[in-house]
Amino acid sequence: MDKNLPDASATNRKLVVLILGLLCILQAALNISLRLALYNSDAPDYDAVIRNLKEERDQLKRKLNTSECSSDAPDYDAVIRNLKEERDQLKRKLKTFDHYTQEGWVYFRSSFYFISSVEKSWGDSRDDCLQQGADLVIINSKEENEFTRQFRRLFWIGLTDTETEGTWKWVDGTLLNTTTSFWHPGEPNSSGNTDEDCGEARYNYAEYNWNDNKCNKLNFWICEKMVA
Ligand code: BGC
Ligand code: CA
C-alpha cells in the first residue's frame, strides 16, 4: 500500500465523526425551536387550571361545612311544618262546611246561619246555639242585617245590656257600634219601665228593625257560626 495515499478507514472515521457532529447540532437546534414553539403557544396552563379547581373545591367543601351555606338554604322542616298546619286548617274548615251544610244551615259571607223553628227565651236560645258550636247572631253590617231580615220572623239576636243598663254588647263581648246598629225609631226603650235587656229583630218590614225586649220572652232565634 502506498504510504502517501490517505488511509481509507481514517477518512471514513472522520466522515462519521462529522456526520455525528452535524446530527448533534441538528438535534440541539430542534430542541431549542420546539421549546420556543411550546412556550409561545396558546396552550392552557394545565397546572394552573388544576390548582384553581382544587382551590374552588376546597372553598365549596368549607362552605358546605359551615353555617354560611345552611343559612342560605330554606328551612325545609319549617316549610313542611307550615304546610301541615295549612293542610290541617283546611281539613278542619272542610269538616265544618260539611257538618253545617248537612244540618241545613245557610252560608253567607264566611258564616253559617240557622233559624230556629221553635221559640225560647234569650238565654235558652243562646244555649242552643252554643251547643251547636255557634252563638246567637252578631250583626256587623247592613248586608248582614238585610240577610237575616229575609227570614221574616221575630227572632233573638246576640245583643244584650244585662251587664250595664244602656251599654249594648254582642255575645262575643264587643260593644255595639253605633254606625252598624239598626234600632227601630224609639228603640231601645225598656218599654213601660220594664227591664228590656235583650235584642230582637222585630220590625222586619223596616231596614231599622231592632227592638229591646224582656229576656224571658219566647222568640225564634238565629245562630251564627263564623268559619273564616
Ligand atoms: C214596643 C216595644 C216593646 C214591645 C214589648 C212594643 O209595642 O214598641 O218597644 O219592646 O212592645 O212587647
Ligand atoms: Ca223595646
Side-chain angles (χ1 to χ4, degrees):
M1 193 189 287
D2 188 348
K3 284 187 181 168
N4 294 326
L5 286 174
D7 182 352
S9 61
T11 309
N12 282 347
R13 269 200 303 277
K14 276 181 190 167
L15 204 60
V16 167
V17 168
L18 186 70
I19 290 167
L20 278 175
L22 281 171
L23 276 174
C24 278
I25 291 166
L26 194 66
Q27 169 130 35
L30 254 173
N31 269 351
I32 290 165
S33 56
L34 263 175
R35 271 175 202 279
L36 280 174
L38 277 176
Y39 183 76
N40 289 328
S41 81
D42 293 332
D45 180 350
Y46 289 107
D47 281 349
V49 169
I50 289 168
R51 255 197 323 277
N52 286 346
L53 281 173
K54 279 185 176 171
E55 178 52 31
E56 224 172 289
R57 177 202 63 192
D58 293 344
Q59 267 178 18
L60 284 170
K61 270 189 185 171
R62 280 195 297 276
K63 207 175 174 188
L64 204 66
N65 290 330
T66 59
S67 57
E68 201 185 328
C69 184
S70 52
S71 68
D72 294 342
D75 180 351
Y76 288 108
D77 282 348
V79 170
I80 290 168
R81 258 198 318 278
N82 287 344
L83 282 172
K84 280 185 175 171
E85 178 52 35
E86 225 171 287
R87 177 202 63 191
D88 293 345
Q89 267 177 19
L90 283 170
K91 272 188 182 175
R92 282 194 295 272
K93 206 170 171 181
L94 199 66
K95 225 174 145 185
T96 306
F97 266 84
D98 277 351
H99 173 78
Y100 287 97
T101 308
Q102 278 162 26
E103 295 292 318
W105 291 47
V106 184
Y107 185 76
F108 176 75
R109 295 197 180 182
S110 306
S111 284
F112 278 103
Y113 297 85
F114 165 86
I115 177 107
S116 74
S117 51
V118 294
E119 294 177 297
K120 289 185 179 180
S121 69
W122 188 92
D124 287 347
S125 302
R126 187 173 184 208
D127 282 348
D128 180 88
C129 295
L130 291 171
Q131 273 169 27
Q132 302 191 71
D135 210 332
L136 279 173
V137 64
I138 295 172
I139 297 169
N140 306 109
S141 67
K142 178 175 155 52
E143 291 74 19
E144 193 176 14
N145 199 49
E146 288 305 295
F147 169 76
T148 57
R149 207 152 66 90
Q150 290 174 56
F151 291 103
R152 298 278 166 208
R153 288 231 184 106
L154 202 168
F155 56 88
W156 288 126
I157 59 175
L159 194 59
T160 178
D161 73 340
T162 322
E163 239 174 64
T164 311
E165 181 60 30
T167 303
W168 289 89
K169 276 189 183 175
W170 293 107
V171 283
D172 67 354
T174 55
L175 277 173
L176 172 65
N177 188 336
T178 48
T179 59
T180 47
S181 67
F182 299 90
W183 294 115
H184 194 66
E187 307 296 345
N189 60 0
S190 274
S191 171
N193 280 336
T194 57
D195 211 13
E196 297 189 317
D197 286 347
C198 289
E200 63 181 12
R202 181 186 188 90
Y203 311 99
N204 284 324
Y205 54 87
E207 183 183 334
Y208 289 82
N209 56 337
W210 298 353
N211 174 47
D212 60 336
N213 216 325
K214 284 185 280 298
C215 299
N216 59 2
K217 182 180 171 261
L218 302 185
N219 265 353
F220 296 106
W221 68 92
I222 290 185
C223 303
E224 178 184 7
K225 169 74 185 173
M226 293 179 207
V227 283

